[in-house]
Amino acid sequence: MRRFSWFNATSLTLGFAFLYVPMIILIIYSFNASKLVTVWAGFSTKWYGELMQNEAFLDAAWVTIKVAVISSSIATVLGTMAAIVLVRAGRFHGRTLFSGMIYAPLVMPEVITGLSLLLLFIGIGMDRGIVTITLAHATFSMCYVSVVVSSRLISFDRSLEEAALDLGCSQFEAFRLVTLPIIAPAVISGWLLAFTLSLDDLVIASFTSGPSATTLPIKIYSAVRLGVSPEINALSTIMIAIVTFGVITASLVSKRNAVNRQREEQAAARMT
Amino acid sequence: MRRFFLIAIPYAWLTLLFLVPFFIVLKIALSDYALSIPPYTPKLDIGGSWMALKDFFAALDFENFVFLTTDDLYWKAYLSSLKIATISTLLTLAVGYPIAYAMAQAPDEWRPTLMMLIILPFWTSFLIRVYAWMGILSKEGFLNQFLLWTGIISEPLTIINTNTAVYIGIVYTYLPFMILPIYAALEKLDASLLEAAEDLGCSRFQAFWLVTIPLSKNGIIAGSFLVFIPALGEFVIPSLLGGSKTLMIGKILWEEFFSNRDWPVASAVAVVLLLILIIPIVLFQRNQQKQAEAEQ
Amino acid sequence: MAETVFAPWDDSNAKPLIQFKNVTKRFGEFTAIDDLSIDIFEQEFFALLGPSGCGKTTLMRLLAGFETPTSGEILLAGENIVPVPPNKRAVNMMFQSYALFPHLDITENIAFGLKRDKMPKPDIDARVEEMLALTRLTQFARRKPHQISGGQRQRVALARSLAKAPKLLLLDEPLGALDKKLRQDTQFELMDIQEKTGTTFVIVTHDQEEAMTVASRVAVMDEGRIVQVATPDAIYETPNSIYVADFIGDVNIFEGHASAAADGYDIAWGEGQKPLHAKTSVENLDGKQCYLAIRPEKVSISAQKPENVGNAVLGKIHDIAYLGNISTYYVGLPDGKIVKAQTANTRRISRRSFTWEDDVWLSWTDTAGVVLGR
Ligand SMILES: Nc1ncnc2c1ncn2[C@@H]1O[C@H](COP(=O)(O)OP(=O)(O)O)[C@@H](O)[C@H]1O
Ligand SMILES: [Mg+2]
């Protein structure tokens, strides 16, 4: 029996209170009727209504989603390729540099990544806008994708691929018919991670965006620099709600799958 | 042939969009500020002759780096970034370890839920999580209202726009990075080891100190680096929660670039920041490698 | 008319299906297969037996095409298959881990190889049905691999690799993951299926009993070489070296000095002991170091010195292992050597005639042991 003492219970309670109370306050005050964010003046959804009227925010949200979908899709393809190279390609010229370039962006401060990409885009005379943000996001999130996918590939049982070859597949068929379907969950997680990173990014987007394209985080940042605003509270609440819904659904689904699987395996073991 | 493309495509992408930009930063850090567009000289004319190339290199110098040493602001900012990152890493460890420990002790059926609750903020917008504290820490914010109401204080505290607010912000946003590796290490820890230690005469506290802590060492190290490295170059937190006296290098770089438009100095700041970061990054890599080898 | 014995290896006209010709495989500095040559014939059930790490899996992977020999040739029906990639070889392998595709159900797993051959759909269905019936899996056709038991998984792996009707089926420790009872049942099932399909099987195992049960011939391997290839009885009764004698079953080994005597040798072995006599056709050992290997069940144990037996030595019972059907006596000789003697327990244990510390005579005939030069 593990001991679950009052000390542990207190740590968990305080810990989760610390993590969640700020967000809960934010959510509550998004329904505040008053413009003054710290004074409660009754329940109202008027800030949501105003948010929906705010063209600038809606435009920015649209740009952000477009950038996130495209960049995370590019990042998933490139990152999966990079993962295969890292785990499977064996030795080749410049392997060390390659793996360095995969891992470096993970620890590189965003300000530096952003600055360097901006200088590149200016250097080659590329107009800054949706395209440059997308390229920048695809670049740093492909590294995250490749880490997620390569950790799955490392534990992948190579004999499954060999069995496919043995049964007549070419290398490419073996990958398409066996490896890819099995690592698909990792590839999807990679995509989701890339998507979230892109949605979330302020710093790199600020460097690489131009006057023609503003993303939601840039918009939020310039609004909140001036102080707390109820409209931003409403926007934050919507974003938190979407993420919470997504994460809870995903974890329920994966939990149900795990339970089903375990039950089936137990049944199979009893069968003999 | 397929193998060639498989390697070449991501390789080329990263070279163009990661490596080349990095060298451009280096180059501009060695250039001079100029009132033009782009605001620096010399400019590399790719199609230029050999002589032009030679002139180009002759014009590069370390002026900007020298400048960084002469102006107090920069080395103070580096030192202050190091200080803030170190203190907030230790604070995160102090807050995160008990949570990770309690999670590892929790009944099996709770754990997936606890895990999800730790990961959930990680998927939530970073900017929003920092923003949430602006309303709490401000002069009329919830924290002051609460403390005044309980009577602990009689005057509202000034927290926002100080380093304290920055510490709170960093601890809050990076807490999952600290908890997860420690939890992973503690979860693997076999409960019978503690029983064995107590059987051999340790008190509970001694068993914790002599068995649990050493066996979670790798998690502690990994978590600390995962907090320290991004905290060092952090921009959003000092910018929203810190004050004008909060010196952090990420913020300086941003201001140098966007407000002063001094690209050469901004680039030099970036280069020095990277040099400082290399040490913890290499140490972190070592730790991860050692751990991976130990697990094999 | 007498049934002809299946023994193509004794027929000089028979053409081997598989030939290894001086095959060597090195991994860097390490030699996994060392100048190895063997012939395997059609319809054989050929077992590779050897300790872990001796190169059995490597040999199989060379046959399947996952490794290329460093030197030497591998012939399949007379053709060099070294340059042929694994997906083009008429050889299939059943993997040690089974390697069932977890995202496909049983039917899809079995049909996987057939689809690669662009077989028409009705033919695939028919073939899959046939394989499911052969391996008694019909009722599990739509289950996923994790929904069936270990024994069933093993049969799916077998069905999948047999579906393409390969000329040669390679089985790498096919029963390694099963528990003992299931293993024994499955061994007979394998033999049955091999007979029905007429496929040539090469099976890897480190379990000598399994090899002896299923195989038409057994090859004993050591450090990348084949030490002996023979039928199970020949390998048990006439091992060619103490390595083989020791690896297959239990054995007592007397080391000594040979001198030619009637129909064989006298072997001087212990101080003050009468030389042991053994009849053998082995030549060229006169005056040399040699070994006499005797199986424990060929050693008799008695209280009085037996008459008219070739060899007898006196010892004291050191230990008794009661195994139910048989008992093994560990008898200590005066020089400290322990000799094992086995007797069948045809009587109840209470009537056992010997106990600890009894002085007993061990005896065996001139032909019971095998004289070995190495
Ligand atoms: N790909 C490889 N690289 C290096 N050494 C290998 C490789 N495959 C096998 N070996 C070595 O070859 C030897 C024989 O291995 P294997 O054929 O798997 O043995 P067995 O199946 O008889 O246990 C082992 O010592 C193993 O370490
Ligand atoms: Mg093996």
Side-chain angles (χ1 to χ4, degrees):
Chain A
M1 240 310 278
R2 280 168 188 269
R3 290 172 283 230
F4 200 70
S5 61
W6 63 267
F7 178 77
N8 287 332
T10 318
S11 314
L12 279 187
T13 315
L14 289 180
F16 285 110
F18 177 59
L19 278 176
Y20 284 94
V21 167
M23 283 198 258
I24 292 168
I25 293 177
L26 190 74
I27 292 168
I28 293 172
Y29 276 79
S30 75
F31 296 103
N32 188 1
S34 159
K35 174 97 189 158
L36 290 171
V37 278
T38 52
V39 183
W40 183 255
F43 181 86
S44 150
T45 53
K46 75 172 180 198
W47 302 115
Y48 289 87
E50 272 185 34
L51 191 65
M52 290 304 140
Q53 304 296 312
N54 191 328
E55 290 287 330
F57 272 121
L58 293 178
D59 285 349
W62 180 229
V63 169
T64 311
I65 289 171
K66 265 198 290 200
V67 168
V69 169
I70 299 172
S71 73
S72 58
S73 304
I74 298 174
T76 305
V77 174
L78 290 172
T80 306
M81 287 171 85
I84 296 168
V85 171
L86 282 179
V87 179
R88 293 293 173 76
R91 286 154 178 260
F92 58 89
H93 257 303
R95 197 197 147 92
T96 318
L97 177 64
F98 185 78
S99 60
M101 288 195 299
I102 291 290
Y103 291 113
L106 303 179
V107 287
M108 186 76 92
E110 289 168 320
V111 278
I112 297 183
T113 312
L115 176 70
S116 65
L117 280 164
L118 168 63
L119 296 178
L120 170 80
F121 294 139
I122 290 173
I124 59 175
M126 200 164 173
D127 279 339
R128 281 173 286 148
I130 292 193
V131 177
T132 47
I133 307 176
T134 308
L135 287 177
H137 282 182
T139 305
F140 81 91
S141 44
M142 78 172 269
C143 302
Y144 286 88
V145 174
S146 92
V147 168
V148 172
V149 175
S150 63
S151 68
R152 176 65 187 92
L153 270 181
I154 286 169
S155 65
F156 183 83
D157 181 7
R158 291 287 305 255
S159 67
L160 289 172
E161 264 168 30
E162 287 180 343
L165 292 179
D166 188 66
L167 293 167
C169 283
S170 66
Q171 289 273 353
F172 183 67
E173 276 180 317
F175 180 78
R176 187 170 60 87
L177 296 172
V178 175
T179 316
L180 196 57
I182 297 174
I183 64 167
V187 175
I188 293 171
S189 318
W191 188 89
L192 282 173
L193 182 60
F195 183 79
T196 324
L197 287 170
S198 171
L199 276 190
D200 208 17
D201 171 63
L202 164 70
V203 177
I204 294 172
S206 300
F207 277 98
T208 52
S209 71
S212 66
T214 307
T215 65
L216 202 53
I218 299 177
K219 203 85 204 141
I220 297 175
Y221 176 71
S222 47
V224 303
R225 246 166 30 130
L226 308 173
V228 178
S229 97
E231 232 175 340
I232 298 290
N233 285 353
L235 179 61
S236 305
T237 304
I238 294 173
M239 288 169 75
I240 292 172
I242 293 171
V243 168
T244 309
F245 177 77
V247 171
I248 290 179
T249 312
S251 86
L252 286 181
V253 168
S254 80
K255 188 177 168 186
R256 207 194 52 200
N257 288 348
V259 169
N260 280 348
R261 196 187 162 90
Q262 203 181 8
R263 199 178 297 140
E264 285 167 1
E265 274 169 1
Q266 279 165 359
R270 273 198 304 273
M271 205 156 51
T272 345
Chain B
M1 204 55 209
R2 256 193 194 119
R3 179 169 185 247
F4 174 79
F5 281 113
L6 183 67
I7 298 175
I9 294 171
Y11 210 129
W13 184 285
L14 284 173
T15 307
L16 270 178
L17 286 157
F18 179 74
L19 201 60
V20 170
F22 179 68
F23 279 104
I24 296 178
V25 172
L26 200 60
K27 189 212 104 182
I28 292 177
L30 299 171
S31 307
D32 293 322
Y33 178 68
L35 275 175
S36 63
I37 294 178
Y40 57 90
T41 61
K43 291 160 202 114
L44 180 56
D45 185 0
I46 311 254
S49 66
W50 178 240
M51 274 310 285
L53 209 65
K54 223 170 120 191
D55 286 346
F56 167 76
F57 279 109
L60 296 178
D61 54 44
F62 288 94
E63 228 170 75
N64 297 309
F65 293 97
V66 174
F67 174 68
L68 294 190
T69 59
T70 52
D71 193 331
D72 277 6
L73 173 72
Y74 297 103
W75 62 264
K76 274 191 185 148
Y78 284 115
L79 281 183
S80 144
S81 291
L82 278 172
K83 189 187 97 185
I84 291 176
T86 309
I87 294 178
S88 32
T89 303
L90 294 177
L91 288 173
T92 316
L93 177 62
V95 175
Y97 199 98
I99 301 178
Y101 183 80
M103 279 172 68
Q105 303 275 303
D108 283 347
E109 64 272 18
W110 292 9
R111 284 198 226 166
T113 311
L114 293 176
M115 195 67 180
M116 192 200 74
L117 286 173
I118 293 293
I119 293 173
L120 184 61
F122 170 80
W123 292 96
T124 319
S125 167
F126 184 83
L127 191 56
I128 290 176
R129 282 185 292 146
V130 177
Y131 165 71
W133 281 95
M134 291 176 69
I136 296 173
L137 298 179
S138 66
K139 202 138 202 152
E140 319 80 51
F142 300 101
L143 188 62
N144 276 324
Q145 288 183 15
F146 178 74
L147 293 178
L148 287 170
W149 175 76
T150 55
I152 296 176
I153 53 172
S154 51
E155 286 278 299
L157 300 172
T158 318
I159 306 177
I160 194 119
N161 300 340
T162 66
N163 284 357
T164 313
V166 175
Y167 294 140
I168 294 175
I170 294 179
V171 172
Y172 180 70
T173 46
Y174 290 108
L175 193 59
F177 291 101
M178 182 64 85
I179 293 178
L180 291 176
I182 297 178
Y183 170 71
L186 288 174
E187 199 206 9
K188 273 185 284 184
L189 196 139
D190 186 350
S192 64
L193 290 178
L194 291 181
E195 286 166 3
E198 286 177 35
D199 184 63
L200 295 169
C202 283
S203 70
R204 263 213 209 175
F205 180 74
Q206 278 176 318
F208 174 77
W209 189 247
L210 296 172
V211 178
T212 311
I213 294 273
L215 286 176
S216 57
K217 195 184 81 194
N218 280 326
I220 296 176
I221 294 174
S224 301
F225 280 120
L226 286 176
V227 176
F228 182 81
I229 293 171
L232 201 57
E234 185 52 57
F235 163 74
V236 177
I237 298 172
S239 144
L240 290 182
L241 298 178
S244 50
K245 288 211 210 72
T246 305
L247 284 176
M248 281 197 82
I249 208 67
K251 200 172 133 211
I252 300 283
L253 194 156
W254 178 286
E255 280 161 6
E256 209 58 68
F257 190 87
F258 285 110
S259 312
N260 299 351
R261 294 191 55 78
D262 191 339
W263 296 12
V265 168
S267 301
V269 169
V271 172
V272 175
L273 173 57
L274 260 192
L275 290 178
I276 294 174
L277 268 172
I278 282 173
I279 300 164
I281 289 170
V282 168
L283 289 176
F284 176 63
Q285 278 284 342
R286 284 248 186 91
N287 182 57
Q288 294 298 91
Q289 239 160 28
K290 248 188 1 206
Q291 208 177 332
E293 278 161 20
E295 269 163 27
Q296 266 172 11
Chain C
M1 209 187 99
E3 209 180 323
T4 43
V5 188
F6 175 72
W9 48 88
D10 290 332
D11 178 356
S12 54
N13 290 325
K15 284 221 171 59
L17 177 67
I18 296 290
Q19 277 180 292
F20 273 68
K21 288 190 171 168
N22 306 96
V23 174
T24 297
K25 174 69 192 176
R26 290 197 191 88
F27 294 110
E29 292 287 289
F30 179 78
T31 308
I33 299 292
D34 190 1
D35 192 28
L36 182 143
S37 301
I38 36 166
D39 291 347
I40 299 171
F41 295 87
E42 209 151 318
Q43 309 212 349
E44 260 206 85
F45 201 136
F46 192 89
L48 286 168
L49 185 58
S52 170
C54 71
K56 304 176 303 272
T57 298
T58 307
L59 194 69
M60 298 286 247
R61 291 172 63 83
L62 284 165
L63 269 173
F66 298 122
E67 307 284 358
T68 336
T70 314
S71 67
E73 278 190 341
I74 303 169
L75 308 183
L76 175 69
E79 240 178 285
N80 186 10
I81 54 167
V82 169
V84 182
N87 48 348
K88 301 274 173 3
R89 291 192 187 188
V91 171
N92 283 123
M93 179 147 167
M94 194 188 130
F95 286 78
Q96 197 164 357
S97 59
Y98 306 152
L100 298 182
F101 305 128
H103 58 302
L104 304 180
D105 67 23
I106 307 308
T107 304
E108 290 165 329
N109 262 285
I110 297 175
F112 190 90
L114 302 171
K115 285 190 187 149
R116 303 284 82 69
D117 288 351
K118 306 268 185 306
M119 198 188 248
K121 179 109 182 29
D123 296 5
I124 292 181
D125 294 345
R127 181 74 182 154
V128 170
E129 274 311 309
E130 191 185 336
M131 285 297 122
L132 286 169
L134 180 71
T135 48
R136 297 184 288 111
L137 288 165
T138 312
Q139 57 170 321
F140 305 112
R142 285 296 159 196
R143 299 242 183 128
K144 289 273 180 76
H146 73 270
Q147 294 167 323
I148 57 176
S149 71
Q152 289 159 350
R153 259 175 247 167
Q154 186 268 343
R155 300 211 298 272
V156 177
L158 184 65
R160 187 179 70 180
S161 44
L162 273 175
K164 295 187 77 170
K167 284 188 187 158
L168 175 67
L169 183 68
L170 307 169
L171 304 105
D172 192 354
E173 307 214 3
L175 312 179
L178 307 182
D179 58 43
K180 191 162 179 183
K181 179 78 184 63
L182 195 55
R183 254 175 110 117
Q184 286 173 348
D185 298 344
T186 315
Q187 284 167 9
F188 290 105
E189 214 168 82
L190 267 186
M191 292 165 73
D192 204 38
I193 288 173
Q194 194 259 345
E195 215 162 283
K196 271 189 201 150
T197 58
T199 313
T200 310
F201 276 29
V202 176
I203 186 175
V204 161
T205 171
H206 60 247
D207 175 349
Q208 45 116 350
E209 254 179 62
E210 188 170 292
M212 309 282 281
T213 311
V214 298
S216 57
R217 279 195 303 162
V218 176
V220 179
M221 286 185 70
D222 183 31
E223 296 184 345
R225 294 164 179 276
I226 289 197
V227 189
Q228 186 173 13
V229 186
T231 55
D233 54 329
I235 227 160
Y236 188 76
E237 298 293 347
T238 53
N240 70 356
S241 57
I242 41 176
Y243 177 80
V244 175
D246 199 27
F247 195 78
I248 310 272
D250 230 351
V251 74
N252 296 301
I253 306 239
F254 292 89
E255 187 179 349
H257 205 78
S259 50
D263 301 335
Y265 301 95
D266 278 336
I267 300 158
W269 62 285
E271 224 159 280
Q273 294 277 10
K274 190 170 162 247
L276 301 173
H277 184 68
K279 285 190 182 156
T280 178
S281 55
V282 178
E283 287 168 11
N284 298 330
L285 282 175
D286 191 18
K288 288 186 191 152
Q289 176 89 348
C290 77
Y291 304 90
L292 181 66
I294 308 156
R295 301 286 181 195
E297 72 273 13
K298 299 213 165 80
V299 178
S300 315
I301 185 164
S302 54
Q304 261 76 48
K305 183 170 183 181
E307 303 290 320
N308 304 326
V309 192
N311 305 283
V313 292
L314 181 64
K316 194 189 276 294
I317 294 184
H318 189 79
D319 219 336
I320 306 171
Y322 173 70
L323 301 173
N325 53 347
I326 54 170
S327 291
T328 305
Y329 295 90
Y330 293 80
V331 178
L333 302 188
D335 64 350
K337 184 180 172 59
I338 301 280
V339 175
K340 284 170 274 187
Q342 244 167 29
T343 57
N345 291 327
T346 47
R347 299 175 175 197
R348 301 289 299 267
I349 193 160
S350 55
R351 314 259 307 265
R352 193 162 62 187
S353 23
F354 311 104
T355 183
W356 285 268
E357 302 299 325
D358 279 357
D359 283 328
V360 290
W361 283 92
L362 299 174
S363 59
W364 59 90
T365 64
D366 292 345
T367 52
V370 185
V371 183
L372 299 166
R374 60 191 167 101

